[in-house]
Amino acid sequence: MKALRYAKRLVSFDSTSHLSNGLVSKYLEMKLTKHGFVVEKTVYRDKNNVLKVNLVAKKGAGVGGLAYFSHSDVVPAEKWFSPKFGPFEPAVARERLYGRGSCDMKGSISCMLTAAQTVAWDDLNAPLYFVVTADEEVGFHGARCVVEESKLYREIVENGTKGIIGEPTNLEVIHAHKGSVEIKATSKGVAGHSSSRKNVSANLSMIPFLQEMKAIHDEVETELKWQNDMFEPPTLSWNINIKDDSPALNVTAGKTICRMYLRPMPGIDVEPLLTRVRQAGDRHDIKVRINHWGNAFFASPDSDFVQDSLKLAHRPKSKTVSYGTDGGVFTEIADKIVFGPGSIEQAHTINEWISLEQLSLGTDMYAKMIRHWCCGK
């Protein structure tokens, strides 16, 4: 199976988000060019000066057509279930491909790369676009770079091209997902021996701030105005993490950081909550920084595009998911869905895998969609 061969090769590239994705991008650029795509690259350096590469490729002429969106970075694999092979040594067993990124989402990329080869240039009445971003797992930075710099992306938007975000959905048609907001709150103290009054723990000012954050957490978990029954769970999933820099129990913390993550949903304005976070920071001398990583995404389940996708996929109705995708950044694309092989339950796990059946079915489904929206068949 060609998709399996591609997936094994892609998994073998360690493209964890803190590293450069240059090598895997070079491989994909070579394959796309070989099979008739014109490839545009947008590059940038992340906050650690690491080179990142986005690919936006086009095959065929005309307007409209279909755009496939994916990412080449993967989450870390510091722990892995097998002593026989590592996370970047792809292995096939029990009709599954194991390896970091096999499910999220190099398996999907392999399916579309294979499907794209089944359609000759002369068969295309409308173009096929193939987008691969960096840093999806750590804030959608690659997607934002594409929006700001890619000429082909601007063409996709202006010509009404249909969009498929190829994240793992078990080939279910997804019409909505949650967004992503990061909050970083920092308190400062004076580090030193805890026996001295000259040294003050940064945790002391963080404690009353955290009490207010706990109150917000409890409110959004219980009050219906912050919930949307379209999703499971129907809440903002307000998560709170805390860390200080104290090396020992008898040393006061010089700095304490509270990081929070929430998942906005369509139809719910979270700005009043974020205003309350900022105000709490001002009251307790806490520095607050808020990053809107990605918007919530919603497409009408009754739209022609969603309904056509359901017919092609032989599914009775579209669904929603609670995770986010690059689709929260590609907001200018009117018609888009999330649709890809593999299950999100296998993504990011210590034994990440995708079934060979999903690779085969995913390839067939993507080929059908290309023929429908790019060939008129």
Side-chain angles (χ1 to χ4, degrees):
M1 186 198 312
K2 184 174 287 188
L4 174 60
R5 293 199 300 272
Y6 281 143
K8 291 171 69 175
R9 185 70 180 99
L10 291 174
V11 167
S12 72
F13 291 97
D14 182 354
S15 54
T16 307
S17 299
H18 69 272
L19 304 174
S20 175
N21 68 331
L23 290 178
V24 68
S25 297
K26 184 176 181 180
Y27 172 80
L28 285 169
E29 180 184 9
M30 177 186 68
K31 291 297 180 182
L32 289 166
T33 301
K34 178 181 178 181
H35 295 292
F37 285 86
V38 175
V39 181
E40 171 194 59
K41 290 193 294 186
T42 64
V43 301
Y44 64 97
R45 291 190 175 272
D46 67 12
K47 64 181 181 180
N48 296 315
N49 201 35
V50 176
L51 179 68
K52 300 301 175 75
V53 181
N54 305 304
L55 304 178
V56 185
K58 178 184 178 181
K59 181 177 181 179
V63 298
L66 182 67
Y68 167 79
F69 296 92
S70 61
H71 63 86
S72 60
D73 65 314
V74 299
V75 299
E78 295 172 355
K79 295 182 179 179
W80 192 244
F81 79 105
S82 174
K84 295 181 180 179
F85 60 91
F88 302 104
E89 300 174 272
V92 176
R94 297 186 294 171
E95 294 297 304
R96 300 170 177 177
L97 170 64
Y98 291 85
R100 174 60 82 229
S102 57
C103 179
D104 186 14
M105 59 178 299
K106 292 176 176 178
S108 177
I109 293 173
S110 302
C111 290
M112 180 55 82
L113 190 58
T114 304
Q117 296 171 33
T118 66
V119 181
W121 180 284
D122 292 341
D123 294 332
L124 294 171
N125 298 322
L128 172 64
Y129 298 89
F130 202 123
V131 183
V132 190
T133 66
D135 286 342
E136 189 271 351
E137 299 288 4
V138 291
F140 313 113
H141 306 302
R144 277 192 282 274
C145 178
V146 167
V147 169
E148 293 168 3
E149 299 184 17
S150 169
K151 293 180 180 178
L152 286 179
Y153 175 77
R154 195 52 43 199
E155 186 177 293
I156 290 169
V157 172
E158 293 173 354
N159 292 333
T161 302
K162 312 297 184 184
I164 293 176
I165 314 296
E167 295 279 2
T169 69
N170 264 331
L171 299 173
E172 297 283 353
V173 176
I174 304 302
H175 70 266
H177 68 58
K178 297 182 181 182
S180 305
V181 175
E182 177 206 35
I183 304 170
K184 183 178 180 181
T186 306
S187 63
K188 293 292 183 68
V190 179
H193 201 285
S194 62
S195 65
S196 172
R197 283 187 170 179
K198 295 179 181 180
N199 307 316
V200 180
S201 172
N203 291 326
L204 292 177
S205 57
M206 184 61 79
I207 290 171
F209 175 82
L210 288 173
Q211 289 176 323
E212 296 197 40
M213 297 306 102
K214 174 64 162 55
I216 294 176
H217 169 275
D218 293 349
E219 179 181 324
V220 299
E221 283 293 314
T222 57
E223 295 195 10
L224 294 180
K225 68 178 181 179
W226 301 119
Q227 300 183 15
N228 186 334
D229 288 336
M230 181 192 310
F231 295 95
E232 178 53 45
T235 65
L236 297 172
S237 299
W238 191 289
N239 191 44
I240 303 174
N241 293 325
I242 309 157
K243 183 178 182 180
D244 68 35
D245 65 354
S246 177
L249 184 60
N250 62 349
V251 178
T252 56
K255 182 169 70 172
T256 302
I257 296 176
C258 169
R259 296 184 68 208
M260 291 173 282
Y261 189 69
L262 63 145
R263 300 175 182 272
M265 294 175 284
I268 296 178
D269 181 10
V270 299
E271 282 305 316
L273 296 174
L274 300 180
T275 296
R276 286 164 60 181
V277 173
R278 295 186 187 97
Q279 291 171 344
D282 292 340
R283 279 193 294 274
H284 303 294
D285 195 25
I286 304 291
K287 181 181 178 181
V288 173
R289 187 183 70 191
I290 297 176
N291 296 318
H292 293 265
W293 284 1
N295 295 325
F297 150 63
F298 175 81
S300 171
D302 298 323
S303 70
D304 291 342
F305 179 56
V306 172
Q307 290 299 311
D308 286 347
S309 299
L310 288 170
K311 290 176 183 177
L312 290 171
H314 301 293
R315 302 292 186 181
K317 64 179 181 178
S318 58
K319 299 183 177 181
T320 69
V321 292
S322 292
Y323 54 85
T325 75
D326 276 344
V329 177
F330 299 135
T331 56
E332 298 167 288
I333 300 173
D335 289 321
K336 60 181 180 287
I337 57 171
V338 185
F339 182 82
S343 169
I344 197 65
E345 293 182 3
Q346 274 78 59
H348 301 189
T349 60
I350 63 170
N351 65 335
E352 183 174 351
W353 56 268
I354 188 170
S355 72
L356 304 192
E357 179 185 38
Q358 282 286 295
L359 287 176
S360 177
L361 292 173
T363 301
D364 292 343
M365 281 305 314
Y366 284 155
K368 285 174 63 176
M369 290 176 163
I370 294 170
R371 289 193 293 271
H372 182 77
W373 280 294
C374 299
C375 306
K377 297 182 179 179

